[in-house]
Amino acid sequence: MSRAETEFGAPASSASAGWRELWRKEDWWAIWLGLGLVLAGYFLFVNGSSLRWIAVTPAKWATGAQLLAHFQDNIARYLAQFLLWLVTFAIALTALGHRARDFVPAFVFLYLVSVVIFVIGQWDQASTYNLEPPLVALVLGLVLSNLVGLPRWLDAGFRVEFYVKTGIVLLGATLPFTLIVWAGPVAIFQASIVSIVTFLVIYWVAVRLGLDRRLAATLGAGGAVCGVSAAIAIAGAVGARREDAPVAITLVIIWAIVMIFVLPFASAALLLPAGIGGAWIGTSEFADAAGFAAAQAYGALAGKNGIAGTADQAVFAFTLMKVVGRDVWIGIWAFVLAIVATTRWERTATGGRPDIAQIWWRFPKFVIGFIAASLIVTAATSGYSLADFNKTVNPALVAPLKDLRSWAFIFCFFSIGLTTRFRELANAGAKPFLAFSTGVAVNVVLGFVLSAYVFAAHWANLAR
Amino acid sequence: MGGERCGSCVHFRNDPAYLETLFAGLAALSSADASVRADDGHCRRHDRYLSARASCADFSPAVAAGLTQPDRSPGTR
């Protein structure tokens, strides 16, 4: 059964409630896949083996001969890894209603180009030319989709959100749970300040410009919480007009892509430590996928050119700020705005009583996998001394999961470019653009002040 | 559960493929398969994007209309 033949008009009770969500939402598939890899890695580790063999990545290289030798020596490992991704993603996407016959050729293309992108990033001169894999993947994808053009059916393999959510679950395995507990409250506090202020600014400006309140709320959530996902969630919660969500989607995409380049380069120009740069990106980027591209690009600069810290600090700070600080609250935003929409705003022909259960329905479930992965690895490795962890656990268990995460993120970054077709985006209009952009300006400045001054010590010392 | 709610109305569509076509750019930085969407969908009668648990006076049951699936007439995609 194809994606276009499923879930038509499914009754409300069957579409969101019960166990059906476990195989009909990509968040859960990201959990099954991500935690499956974590558990497989742990099982192999305790039995004296490792995921290392299949978690192959291109090595650092300086000459073509080195590169050729690497692939000659490891071609079987790449083939096995390709099949692992292909089969697991195909199972998940087929369950979600995509056609396997569309996905397979699309993923072959995606994987082959991702290998090339990874190779470029491993060139010993890559940083000299700012050839960070996230940025290369994004630019290459944008060029292919906007200047060359690819068949639409290939989109079945370019699932940005599924790849980033899988990567986030794998990221959990490399992030100590104690760090989440220690840094989480500050992330939530900082993110809450910025989210509330950004939402109110966008909403207030939009209403002052005469825009409909439901559009204003959709724009505000898109800028303040988690980008396109928040915009679509709030549009549904408040019963927005059909044309409202595409306006917010257009503005989020444009600003998110701008920020992928602006935030890392601004952070580098200001010589922000990696943790601070990551926190700023986590506060001021608009979507998880775009934010990871920016945070990973900035992390790659850590330890060079006067930028203190490590790549992990940038990614960890971003993750705590964006995922823990902002994403998990979307259900509460939706519930509160649904109440406001039905009690304070002009009535529409359609409506319904706001249901507090939507806080759970809309909860980004992949976060559960992220936390679970962190808990599993933290508990499994708690008995090791730091020396033993670095000598045994890290190379055999954590590092392979980190390398698999890198692959998932490259698939994601390349897919962002491949699915962003500027000419197909809705015309946002001057007033929504002005309202949203005002919020962007406030968000970026406030995010910088909080990250680089108010909580600077916290973020600079994260995961030291 | 369901009753006269939008989720079981002939005018309501919430399949992910339809929504990703309806909302250009949705799949670039998000997805119609995401949990945050819950079961929201498009009401073709009122041209609104809303919860499957919403309702209105124009409810028309999909099953009673002889449809096992909602209207897929041309122009909706």
Side-chain angles (χ1 to χ4, degrees):
Chain A
M1 190 162 51
S2 78
R3 176 179 174 80
E5 295 166 347
T6 59
E7 209 178 301
F8 285 102
S13 56
S14 65
S16 71
W19 303 104
R20 189 166 178 262
E21 188 176 339
L22 297 179
W23 63 90
R24 294 310 304 271
K25 293 290 186 184
E26 70 189 1
D27 290 55
W28 286 107
W29 276 106
I31 293 174
W32 307 140
L33 179 51
L35 283 189
L37 288 169
V38 171
L39 292 172
Y42 179 65
F43 176 79
L44 290 170
F45 172 69
V46 297
N47 286 285
S49 186
S50 170
L51 280 173
R52 177 72 278 160
W53 186 82
I54 205 165
V56 60
T57 60
K60 279 283 182 189
W61 61 278
T63 67
Q66 291 175 335
L67 198 57
L68 186 62
H70 169 80
F71 281 103
Q72 284 175 335
D73 292 343
N74 295 287
I75 189 66
R77 298 172 69 191
Y78 282 99
L79 187 60
Q81 184 192 83
F82 165 74
L83 290 173
L84 172 71
W85 290 126
L86 182 77
V87 171
T88 52
F89 285 148
I91 291 170
L93 290 170
T94 301
L96 291 170
H98 296 269
R99 292 185 178 92
R101 68 174 183 267
D102 292 342
F103 168 75
V104 171
F107 188 75
V108 170
F109 170 75
L110 188 78
Y111 187 81
L112 289 175
V113 180
S114 295
V115 171
V116 174
I117 292 166
F118 220 138
V119 164
I120 292 171
Q122 293 293 71
W123 181 33
D124 68 350
Q125 299 298 311
S127 61
T128 306
Y129 301 99
N130 286 323
L131 294 174
E132 306 305 336
L135 305 185
V136 173
L138 180 66
V139 171
L140 183 59
L142 287 173
V143 168
L144 287 173
S145 62
N146 290 280
L147 299 181
V148 178
L150 295 173
R152 171 74 61 179
W153 58 267
L154 283 174
D155 282 6
F158 308 152
R159 301 303 298 176
V160 173
E161 277 287 279
F162 184 40
Y163 299 142
V164 78
K165 287 170 180 172
T166 302
I168 291 171
V169 174
L170 290 169
L171 173 64
T174 66
L175 191 69
F177 187 69
T178 47
L179 187 63
I180 297 176
V181 173
W182 177 74
V186 173
I188 291 169
F189 183 59
Q190 177 173 331
S192 297
I193 293 171
V194 177
S195 293
I196 292 169
V197 170
T198 302
F199 177 88
L200 291 176
V201 167
I202 294 175
Y203 182 84
W204 184 80
V205 174
V207 171
R208 294 285 292 179
L209 289 171
L211 298 179
D212 177 78
R213 291 180 187 276
R214 287 172 172 81
L215 171 58
T218 302
L219 290 171
V225 189
C226 50
V228 172
S229 294
I232 202 78
I234 298 305
V238 302
R241 296 171 303 178
R242 176 182 54 80
E243 61 268 31
D244 290 347
V247 169
I249 290 169
T250 296
L251 293 171
V252 169
I253 288 175
I254 290 172
W255 275 114
I257 289 179
V258 168
M259 289 300 165
I260 288 175
F261 296 94
V262 168
L263 291 174
F265 286 117
S267 298
L270 295 166
L271 295 179
L272 295 183
I276 292 177
W280 187 22
I281 294 167
T283 312
S284 300
E285 247 297 359
F286 301 99
D288 287 1
F292 272 108
Q296 197 160 303
Y298 192 58
L301 303 176
K304 307 166 193 166
N305 305 319
I307 297 170
T310 65
D312 277 349
Q313 284 183 304
V315 174
F316 289 173
F318 167 81
T319 306
L320 289 164
M321 185 61 68
K322 184 71 175 68
V323 177
V324 178
R326 293 166 67 189
D327 291 358
V328 299
W329 309 105
I330 183 60
I332 293 174
W333 280 95
F335 178 59
V336 170
L337 287 168
I339 292 174
V340 173
T342 52
T343 59
R344 303 290 299 272
W345 295 348
E346 66 275 18
R347 295 181 66 83
T348 63
T350 56
R353 182 181 300 172
D355 193 334
I356 195 170
Q358 71 178 295
I359 293 174
W360 168 246
W361 298 333
R362 297 186 190 281
F363 185 82
K365 310 296 189 308
F366 70 92
V367 178
I368 296 171
F370 165 76
I371 300 289
S374 175
L375 270 171
I376 290 169
V377 174
T378 301
T381 60
S382 60
Y384 290 86
S385 66
L386 181 60
D388 286 341
F389 180 89
N390 289 332
K391 182 183 176 185
T392 308
V393 181
N394 193 50
L397 176 60
V398 177
L401 292 171
K402 188 175 178 180
D403 288 337
L404 291 172
R405 176 192 93 194
S406 296
W407 282 109
F409 280 162
I410 287 184
F411 301 153
C412 164
F413 303 149
F414 189 36
S415 295
I416 294 175
L418 291 171
T419 52
T420 301
R421 301 176 177 91
F422 291 112
R423 73 178 79 84
E424 294 181 5
L425 296 177
N427 181 6
K431 289 180 180 178
F433 179 79
L434 184 59
F436 194 89
S437 300
T438 305
V440 170
V442 171
N443 179 305
V444 168
V445 172
L446 187 57
F448 174 75
V449 170
L450 291 173
S451 302
Y453 291 100
V454 180
F455 299 110
H458 178 84
W459 296 117
N461 294 311
L462 185 76
R464 277 241 167 122
Chain B
M1 195 171 167
E4 296 193 351
R5 293 183 175 181
C6 295
S8 50
C9 176
V10 71
H11 304 299
F12 186 79
R13 292 191 62 179
N14 70 348
D15 60 295
Y18 171 74
L19 294 177
E20 289 187 2
T21 304
L22 187 71
F23 297 145
L26 174 59
L29 285 177
S30 184
S31 162
D33 295 315
S35 291
V36 295
R37 182 178 69 81
D39 51 2
D40 300 341
H42 176 221
C43 169
R44 296 178 60 230
R45 181 167 183 84
H46 297 287
D47 205 20
R48 284 194 176 269
Y49 181 69
L50 37 69
S51 168
R53 288 168 174 75
S55 60
C56 81
D58 297 319
F59 175 81
S60 179
V63 175
L67 297 173
T68 54
Q69 295 178 340
D71 186 358
R72 299 175 68 183
S73 57
T76 63
R77 291 184 62 83

